[in-house]
Structure formats: C-alpha cells, structure tokens
C-alpha cells in the first residue's frame, strides 16, 4: 500500500511541476472560427524523448479543423484516447492550437511559440494569473491567457518538434 501511495504522489508532483496539459471546460475560441494552418499538416516528432507525446499525426479534417492522432506516447501520457479534433486560434497576434479528445468534453490548449519550415516550438498553456479556477467562460480564458502571457514563466518549458 505504501508503494501505491508513493507512486500516486510522485505522479501528482511530476504533473504539477512539469506542465501536464490541463483539460478545460472552455475553448480559447469557438471551434472552427479560424481556418487551419496547412503548415501543421503532417507527422511531427518531439525532440524530447521524455515528453508525453513523442509522435503525432495532424491531418486536415476540413477547412476549419484537424484530425489528430497520437502515434507514439511517452510514459507520462495520461489520456485514455489517441484521437482528437483540433482547431487553430489566434489571440493578441499569437497562435494557439486546442484539441478535444473523442471521448471527453475537455479542451487541451497549446501555445505555438514558433512554426518555421519543418520545425515547431510549442508549450502547454500556462495559466499563471488566476489559474484554472479563473476559467469560467471562453472570455475569462482569453483574459487569463492575455494576462499570463505578460508574466515571467509563460512558455518557460517548451517542446521542440520536427516534421517527418
């Protein structure tokens, strides 16, 4: 029993300090408001072998959404599905992606720090001002993100991706 408690506590600590994406009840923007970015279409490999997602395939579902499939998971991958619908969003001149798993009603958000040629830098959406509890609507999420982007530590831990 002690081993089980220690394992669960270790997982909670790792997720708290290493940026596991948090599922939110609200999207950063209404899904389908923006056209997809064709540069995102393809199979991407994470350059961090310890990441939650090692390989992911992003396909065009339609002009406003992506079909996303996790092809290779890391040890800390916690979701119970590998399939998502994804959308692009813009806020304050910045690019975001958000995904909804096919088996739940939560949204997972990522900030695209850079997308150039066959390289992408992304990070989990950090809510540094009011945290997850401040997100009571899409508008509240946008305010939280705008505030967080101005704070030290926003996108402090990023992932480097290479298109295969």
């Amino acid at each position: 029993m002690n081993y089980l408690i220690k394992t669960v506590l270790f997982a909670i600590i790792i997720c708290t300090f290493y940026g596991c994406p948090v599922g939110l009840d609200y999207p950063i923007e209404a899904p389908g408001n923006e056209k997809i970015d064709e540069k995102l279409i393809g199979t991407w490999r994470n350059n961090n072998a310890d990441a939650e997602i090692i390989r992911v395939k992003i396909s065009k579902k339609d002009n406003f959404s992506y079909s996303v499939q996790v092809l290779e998971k890391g040890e800390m991958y916690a979701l119970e599905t590998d399939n998502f619908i994804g959308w692009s969003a813009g806020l304050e001149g910045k690019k975001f992606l958000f995904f909804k798993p096919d088996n739940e009603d939560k949204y997972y958000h990522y900030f695209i720090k850079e997308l150039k040629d066959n390289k992408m830098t992304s990070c989990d959406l950090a809510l540094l001002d009011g945290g997850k509890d401040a997100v009571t609507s899409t508008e509240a999420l946008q305010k939280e993100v705008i505030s967080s982007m101005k704070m030290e530590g926003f996108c402090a831990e990023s992932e480097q991706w290479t298109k295969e």
Side-chain angles (χ1 to χ4, degrees):
M1 186 67 163
N2 253 351
Y3 175 76
L4 179 62
I5 292 171
K6 287 178 183 177
T7 303
V8 169
L9 286 174
F10 177 73
I12 290 169
I13 290 168
I14 291 295
C15 285
T16 300
F17 292 108
Y18 291 99
C20 287
V22 175
L24 298 173
D25 292 330
Y26 302 95
I28 194 165
E29 180 177 279
N33 271 358
E34 293 199 20
K35 286 192 173 187
I36 64 168
D37 186 339
E38 296 283 343
K39 292 184 280 187
L40 290 167
I41 304 299
T43 300
W44 294 87
R45 176 173 292 282
N46 195 320
N47 296 345
N48 176 1
D50 295 325
E52 290 178 57
I53 298 173
I54 306 299
R55 287 181 65 232
V56 64
K57 181 178 180 180
I58 302 175
S59 305
K60 178 180 178 178
K61 182 174 181 181
D62 57 43
N63 288 335
F64 295 92
S65 63
Y66 307 96
S67 292
V68 181
Q69 181 182 18
V70 175
L71 300 175
E72 188 177 339
K73 300 176 251 187
E75 289 183 29
M76 295 301 293
Y77 187 84
L79 297 177
E80 294 181 15
T81 186
D82 299 338
N83 298 301
F84 303 80
I85 297 173
W87 300 273
S88 293
L91 184 64
E92 297 286 303
K94 307 291 184 188
K95 180 184 286 292
F96 297 86
L97 289 176
F98 61 105
F99 305 101
K100 183 178 173 291
D102 63 359
N103 66 344
E104 65 177 277
D105 288 328
K106 299 286 185 185
Y107 295 92
Y108 295 84
H109 298 79
Y110 297 89
F111 171 63
I112 304 302
K113 190 173 184 178
E114 185 175 18
L115 178 60
K116 186 175 180 183
D117 301 323
N118 291 330
K119 305 282 184 195
M120 175 172 55
T121 304
S122 69
C123 58
D124 294 339
L125 188 63
L127 304 175
L128 303 174
D129 192 11
K132 184 178 177 182
D133 292 338
V135 180
T136 57
S137 66
T138 294
E139 294 77 21
L141 175 56
Q142 290 175 350
K143 288 178 184 174
E144 177 68 21
V145 171
I146 290 168
S147 176
S148 295
M149 284 192 296
K150 297 173 185 170
M151 300 175 83
E152 186 177 333
F154 185 81
C155 201
E157 293 185 30
S158 58
E159 300 287 339
Q160 307 296 317
W161 301 84
T162 303
K163 192 185 278 190
E164 295 182 344

